[in-house]
Amino acid sequence: QVQLVESGGGSVQAGDSLRVSCVVSGAVDNIDSVGWSRQRPGHQGEVVTTMLSDGTTTYLDSVKGRFTVSRDNAKNTVYLQMINLKPEDTAIYRCKVVRRGAAYWGRGTRVTVSS
């Protein structure tokens, strides 16, 4: 089993930066990928970024150049650094880990960006 706990969300102004974190515990070996998804008000959920075990990373077009995913294996933590935030980035951000083909999700952390 894998447990994920996000933190670092909050309320910011447009143009601000924010970093959200995801601590991974439990079975932390053999992880296929890590990433972040978000649920914006009135929208379907969308995958923001995915990082494969070989380091290959993909991003949602609307966040390219502004969001960066990283992973600290020593701390078992996945980060999402967000810069130049926009009101349309307002969402609940959830961490996702895929281990041996099984997906695990955190409960999410809320990010609110005001104009």
Side-chain angles (χ1 to χ4, degrees):
Q1 289 289 335
V2 179
Q3 293 80 45
L4 309 175
V5 178
E6 301 96 335
S7 62
S11 297
V12 297
Q13 298 287 321
D16 284 352
S17 300
L18 194 66
R19 188 179 75 167
V20 293
S21 304
C22 172
V23 176
V24 184
S25 62
V28 298
D29 59 331
N30 295 294
I31 290 178
D32 304 317
S33 68
V34 300
W36 293 86
S37 294
R38 69 184 182 186
Q39 179 76 53
R40 296 188 293 155
H43 291 77
Q44 291 187 337
E46 52 191 359
V47 176
V48 175
T49 181
T50 300
M51 175 185 280
L52 302 180
S53 58
D54 66 358
T56 302
T57 306
T58 59
Y59 292 95
L60 184 68
D61 283 347
S62 61
V63 307
K64 284 181 180 177
R66 300 188 298 119
F67 289 14
T68 304
V69 62
S70 62
R71 177 179 173 182
D72 186 333
N73 292 329
K75 295 182 178 180
N76 291 326
T77 302
V78 182
Y79 301 99
L80 181 65
Q81 177 70 52
M82 304 178 284
I83 65 171
N84 191 20
L85 282 160
K86 303 176 180 181
E88 52 264 41
D89 294 320
T90 294
I92 295 173
Y93 287 76
R94 297 178 70 192
C95 178
K96 176 184 176 182
V97 166
V98 177
R99 177 183 183 270
R100 291 182 173 177
Y104 301 87
W105 296 89
R107 291 188 174 184
T109 185
R110 185 180 299 274
V111 174
T112 302
V113 185
S114 56
S115 57

